[in-house]
Amino acid sequence: MPQHPTTVEVDILDKEYLVACPDEARESLRQAARHLDAKMREIRASGKVFGTERIAVMAALNITHDMLEQNTMSDAATGLLRTMESKLDNALGDSKTGT
């Protein structure tokens, strides 16, 4: 039987929002809202950006940038691991043929 979305209340920058989401995603949604709230408060506290909409856009850009950097680092780590695996395979292959 499909899960019906429930409404979850989240607070972001002193405003309450009702968001529909499946029961199994409630905690993830709350965690995402806390993260967004923290980023928006950080931007607001800097005093460089004014207006809730602008603060939200800057927070979204910062979060997206962080996410893309993590993906890039993951890709770089994957490439490094593949290179190391290849070198290890070559080294093991060389020692196997030498025995």
Side-chain angles (χ1 to χ4, degrees):
M1 183 180 298
Q3 291 284 330
H4 295 290
T6 58
T7 302
V8 177
E9 183 179 303
V10 296
D11 294 318
I12 300 172
L13 211 58
D14 304 322
K15 288 190 178 185
E16 294 178 356
Y17 296 90
L18 294 176
V19 182
C21 78
D23 281 340
E24 64 273 9
R26 291 173 69 137
E27 188 50 39
S28 294
L29 174 62
R30 287 187 180 115
Q31 185 178 11
R34 286 190 300 269
H35 183 69
L36 177 59
D37 181 63
K39 288 289 187 185
M40 288 180 70
R41 287 178 185 282
E42 185 180 299
I43 291 167
R44 183 176 68 179
S46 76
K48 296 177 184 176
V49 181
F50 300 100
T52 304
E53 184 176 313
R54 288 178 183 259
I55 290 170
V57 169
M58 291 306 298
L61 284 171
N62 288 339
I63 291 168
T64 302
H65 178 263
D66 292 346
M67 183 187 73
L68 290 173
E69 270 192 352
Q70 286 178 351
N71 285 343
T72 300
M73 286 189 287
S74 292
D75 291 344
T78 300
L80 178 63
L81 288 173
R82 284 189 181 137
T83 301
M84 291 173 64
E85 181 181 29
S86 176
K87 288 180 180 181
L88 184 60
D89 284 345
N90 288 337
L92 290 174
D94 290 344
S95 67
K96 286 179 187 173
T97 57
T99 53

